[in-house]
Amino acid sequence: MKTPVDRVRNRLRYISESLLLRGTQYRLLFIAAVIALISVLGGVAVLLGTGDFGGFGEATWWAFLRLTDPGYLGDDEGLLRRSVSTVVTVLGYVFFMGALIAIMTQWLNSTIERLQRGETPIELRGHFLVLGWSERTATLVGELLASEGRARRFLQRKGHRRLRIVIMAPHLDEELAADIRGRLGHRWSSKAIKLRSGSPLRVEHLDRVALESASVIILPGGDFESSESHVSDTGIVKALLSIGSHEGLNDDEELPRIVAELSDERVASAARQTYRGPLELLASDRLVSHLVSQNLRHPGYSHIIHELLSHDYGNQVYVRELDRFEGRLLWELTPYFENATLLGLVRQGTDGFRAFVGLQDDQLVRRGDQAVLIARDYETSHLGAAPVGTALEFGDAAALPPVEQKEKNLLILGWNRRVPTLVRLLDSYSSEVFNVELISAVPSQERKAYVDSQGGTMSKSTLQFLDGDFTTERTLRALDLEKRDAIIIVGSDWLENESESDARSILAFLQLRAVLGDRANDMNILIELLDPYNRQLLKDQPVEVIVSPTAISYLLAQVGLRPELLAVFTELFGVGGAEIYFDSARRFGLSGSVPYIELEKAAASHGVVCLGVRSGEYVGRVPGGVLLNPGRKEIVNIGDDTELVLLGQDRENRV
């Protein structure tokens, strides 16, 4: 049974505990009370024991000075005063100095940790806000920083001077901050990039990142948040609802533009109802599937993707105003672009931007139209004051007969959520039939059920599901690889992260090389990587590489800076309309050594646009031997392997 003394002691412990756990100010108050108690007890002891003090206050002050400053210890005389002074001084070291330093250190550490967690609000205007963290966020930020010129022009139009990027991650810590600094490398800048923690679903967290004053808000998706597209899309739609209902967004002011990534394009109509401001939606699964399918049909296509959808080298896509050419035929303007290749134009209508790329011989320039070009930089994409040479004369696109098609045997190694979209696209090509075999460690019944649920069943082509570990040589030898026209290794989103997925994909390719031997050099092999840093590991290997997060991040960044580019990229790299493909230069009557402008004229006479040339002559000069926009004076040696890079109706899929 507890005694009254036990109850009092427990009560004092409870009160002390409550005070100490309330915060730094209460801990300081508790230490101050202890110091005051020691001073009072020391003062009473010397006052009663010596009688040398004029009163209680003087004695208490004497004790307090000894407690806070040990230098007074040598001034005391007498055994009692020295004893009390020594005890008070030692207690002062313990409570005054030790406890105070401990409390202040703990407070400073907790303050730094809170700052590192990014919980303090920022005060910025005109910044780019990236909501969410996935394996492509760092790549996205890197693409924004790499688009220095385009970002500068964007900010000038908005009345701002510096590019500021704010990233909101669910859980921000030093490890995550170090990861993004490492991924960005020399592009990292603590002045340009601010990190904050929080969720886009919470209003106070959106206030933390100055949502209402942002110029552009980007919502990237991810490959590893969920293996099912509708789960990640649900998060994007919920975030859009949260942003749309934010009280800080005033309809009287210009609302921030949002660029959001959706996995399933069928969610787009619902997503558009969530936000009343400008909203651009990128259907990433369909886009990546189209890039992959085009590369399967046109080996070498990956080099075009890497050049136009990254900042690593070569040409980029630009838009230029055409107001001074209002009423002119678009293709009459080709001589005005001396160092750029004209692809078409983009026009803004009541329902957004629409791009017209490829030859349309009756396309008149209207006010507000912008030319779509590829050039090495923005400066070289300008329109000259006067034409250089004569305009190209465009002929009938049907002048070239279609190439006879045959069935293609395709082997897909791996599994991800985009596979149903990919097989649906392959089945949609009117004059091609694909016999597809799909092997993965994911059970075939599970994969088949998912394909059926996503509408990926083929109508005229065939699809067969196989079970097995394709990273083993024994499994690959049993697949009869020689009869395949193409092999693709897709990134596996059912694994833990992109590093594990890429490691498995690279291992599968090395096993393929071991099984095929020298035949691997002639085989059309495509590998999808999810980490851009792993691309370098395969630069000298006979394989084409698509880094899907890099392409998506590039598109998100560029559309954030120039919204009209979404229509352009959708037309260039989406399904339908004009396509980029290769065709033999010999079929256009070209031979010998001729200026590049002759290639442009030959292509135009058959109703297509020449973007560049591919030849073994250029292999050491540019990746894959694909040279885009070389310059009209470039001398091209036409050989049996020389091909033109064309934009127009694909000869291999002409109905």
Side-chain angles (χ1 to χ4, degrees):
M1 184 177 182
K2 294 182 179 179
T3 64
V5 175
D6 293 334
R7 292 192 181 94
V8 172
R9 183 169 59 251
N10 291 340
R11 182 63 178 173
L12 290 175
R13 287 178 178 174
Y14 173 74
I15 294 174
S16 300
E17 176 185 323
S18 300
L19 286 173
L20 292 173
L21 293 179
R22 285 187 180 182
T24 302
Q25 63 272 30
Y26 288 97
R27 296 185 188 117
L28 292 174
L29 181 62
F30 178 80
I31 293 301
V34 173
I35 291 173
L37 179 61
I38 295 173
S39 300
V40 168
L41 293 177
V44 170
V46 296
L47 179 64
L48 297 179
T50 64
D52 296 337
F53 295 91
F56 173 74
E58 182 181 348
T60 302
W61 180 249
W62 172 90
F64 177 75
L65 292 177
R66 270 68 185 165
L67 187 147
T68 56
D69 187 355
Y72 287 101
L73 190 60
D75 296 340
D76 297 313
E77 297 180 357
L79 179 62
L80 179 62
R81 289 181 61 162
R82 289 178 176 175
S83 299
V84 173
S85 178
T86 301
V87 172
V88 170
T89 300
V90 172
L91 292 176
Y93 271 112
V94 174
F95 286 99
F96 183 72
M97 299 297 294
L100 183 61
I101 291 174
I103 292 173
M104 296 305 295
T105 301
Q106 187 182 43
W107 169 79
L108 184 61
N109 288 336
S110 63
T111 301
I112 293 175
E113 289 177 1
R114 180 171 56 84
L115 294 176
Q116 288 177 338
R117 290 196 301 269
E119 296 179 354
T120 56
I122 64 169
E123 189 59 39
L124 291 175
R125 298 191 64 81
H127 56 288
F128 279 71
L129 177 57
V130 181
L131 294 180
W133 179 267
S134 70
E135 67 280 354
R136 57 174 146 269
T137 302
T139 307
L140 167 62
V141 174
E143 294 293 346
L144 285 172
L145 294 172
S147 304
E148 181 179 358
R150 185 167 280 170
R152 183 174 61 253
R153 294 187 292 273
F154 170 84
L155 293 171
Q156 288 174 349
R157 293 194 301 270
K158 295 290 184 178
H160 304 290
R161 292 185 298 174
R162 294 182 179 179
L163 175 63
R164 305 287 191 183
I165 304 172
V166 179
I167 305 172
M168 175 188 280
H171 305 287
L172 182 61
D173 53 25
E174 182 58 31
E175 181 179 354
L176 186 62
D179 179 56
I180 190 171
R181 285 196 298 267
R183 287 175 179 265
L184 293 178
H186 69 278
R187 290 187 178 134
W188 167 262
S189 170
S190 58
K191 293 182 178 179
I193 303 172
K194 302 297 179 184
L195 305 177
R196 289 295 181 268
S197 63
S199 168
L201 304 182
R202 298 184 60 177
V203 175
E204 64 272 20
H205 292 179
L206 293 177
D207 291 335
R208 184 182 295 169
V209 293
L211 171 80
E212 67 280 359
S213 60
S215 292
V216 178
I217 302 171
I218 302 179
L219 293 168
D223 293 312
F224 294 93
E225 294 179 1
S226 172
S227 60
E228 297 185 9
S229 60
H230 71 273
V231 176
S232 58
D233 286 349
T234 299
I236 296 293
V237 172
K238 289 172 64 178
L240 289 172
L241 282 170
S242 177
I243 296 170
S245 60
H246 193 275
E247 295 180 354
L249 297 180
N250 190 344
D251 288 337
D252 296 333
E253 300 178 356
E254 183 180 3
L255 296 177
R257 183 167 70 250
I258 296 180
V259 182
E261 175 191 347
L262 293 175
S263 299
D264 191 343
E265 62 180 350
R266 293 172 294 185
V267 183
S269 58
R272 294 190 185 280
Q273 304 177 37
T274 62
Y275 185 63
R276 59 189 182 275
L279 174 62
E280 312 294 340
L281 298 174
L282 178 67
S284 59
D285 279 10
R286 187 169 179 82
L287 174 68
V288 173
S289 297
H290 183 68
L291 297 180
V292 171
S293 66
Q294 286 296 90
N295 204 99
L296 294 174
R297 302 171 61 234
H298 310 299
Y301 191 82
S302 65
H303 302 294
I304 299 175
I305 297 170
H306 185 59
E307 181 169 350
L308 296 182
L309 299 185
S310 76
H311 286 95
D312 285 357
Y313 69 94
N315 294 267
Q316 307 291 312
V317 178
Y318 296 97
V319 292
R320 284 282 193 171
E321 287 71 19
L322 290 172
D323 286 348
R324 69 185 174 101
F325 295 103
E326 182 181 0
R328 295 276 298 274
L329 285 171
L330 174 66
W331 295 103
E332 292 179 354
L333 308 183
T334 52
Y336 287 87
F337 299 100
E338 182 178 1
N339 298 304
T341 299
L342 179 64
L343 307 185
L345 61 79
V346 60
R347 174 177 297 158
Q348 186 171 17
T350 56
D351 56 346
F353 290 99
R354 183 181 177 187
F356 302 88
V357 299
L359 173 64
Q360 297 188 31
D361 53 8
D362 59 347
Q363 189 67 262
L364 293 175
V365 177
R366 301 179 186 174
R367 178 165 296 277
D369 286 354
Q370 299 177 81
V372 180
L373 313 140
I374 59 171
R376 296 194 176 277
D377 52 57
Y378 184 74
E379 285 67 28
T380 58
S381 70
H382 71 280
L383 288 92
V388 179
T390 58
L392 301 178
E393 297 182 2
F394 286 88
D396 185 6
L400 287 175
V403 174
E404 182 180 353
Q405 295 298 305
K406 64 177 182 179
E407 292 187 359
K408 295 183 178 180
N409 297 315
L410 171 63
L411 177 64
I412 300 179
L413 306 180
W415 170 257
N416 61 37
R417 71 184 185 217
R418 286 191 286 269
V419 170
T421 305
L422 174 60
V423 298
R424 193 165 59 239
L425 277 175
L426 293 174
D427 194 53
S428 69
Y429 295 115
S430 58
S431 59
E432 292 171 287
V433 176
F434 289 88
N435 299 317
V436 182
E437 288 185 320
L438 173 61
I439 182 169
S440 172
V442 178
S444 57
Q445 291 183 346
E446 181 179 333
R447 285 179 281 141
K448 186 178 186 306
Y450 185 72
V451 168
D452 292 341
S453 69
Q454 298 299 307
T457 304
M458 290 182 158
S459 58
K460 60 184 179 63
S461 300
T462 62
L463 177 62
Q464 184 178 358
F465 296 89
L466 305 176
D467 291 302
D469 183 1
F470 56 83
T471 63
T472 64
E473 183 178 342
R474 179 180 179 181
T475 300
L476 293 176
R477 290 192 181 278
L479 293 175
D480 194 10
L481 299 177
E482 291 186 359
K483 72 175 185 179
R484 313 294 175 177
D485 295 298
I487 301 174
I488 172 176
I489 307 171
V490 300
S492 299
D493 57 11
W494 54 273
L495 295 173
E496 188 68 23
N497 51 50
E498 69 271 21
S499 297
E500 185 177 345
S501 174
D502 283 357
R504 185 174 175 84
S505 297
I506 293 173
L507 175 59
F509 167 71
L510 295 177
Q511 293 283 30
L512 275 175
R513 285 216 64 185
V515 172
L516 291 170
D518 293 338
R519 291 167 297 174
N521 298 324
D522 301 321
M523 177 73 71
N524 181 13
I525 303 176
L526 174 67
I527 180 172
E528 178 193 11
L529 296 180
L530 303 180
D531 188 339
Y533 295 97
N534 290 328
R535 184 185 183 91
Q536 289 296 107
L537 301 177
L538 299 172
K539 65 178 182 178
D540 297 323
Q541 299 292 333
V543 61
E544 293 193 54
V545 178
I546 290 181
V547 186
S548 51
T550 297
I552 296 170
S553 298
Y554 179 90
L555 293 175
L556 290 172
Q558 299 309 309
V559 172
L561 293 167
R562 295 298 297 255
E564 59 267 42
L565 286 177
L566 179 59
V568 175
F569 288 131
T570 300
E571 186 70 16
L572 281 177
F573 300 108
V575 180
E579 294 185 352
I580 299 175
Y581 63 98
F582 303 97
D583 203 347
S584 172
R586 298 286 195 189
R587 281 169 45 84
F588 289 81
L590 296 166
S591 62
S593 298
V594 296
Y596 175 71
I597 191 172
E598 296 300 324
L599 277 63
E600 289 187 312
K601 291 179 179 179
S605 67
H606 290 87
V608 290
V609 181
C610 185
L611 305 184
V613 61
R614 178 171 69 171
S615 172
E617 177 185 356
Y618 298 110
V619 168
R621 181 174 169 184
V622 286
V626 178
L627 183 63
L628 299 180
N629 186 39
R632 293 188 168 90
K633 297 180 180 179
E634 173 88 11
I635 300 299
V636 179
N637 298 316
I638 306 298
D640 292 337
D641 67 336
T642 305
E643 294 180 302
L644 305 185
V645 183
L646 302 172
L647 174 65
Q649 179 67 38
D650 185 355
R651 65 180 177 84
E652 292 188 1
N653 199 44
R654 188 177 299 153
V655 180

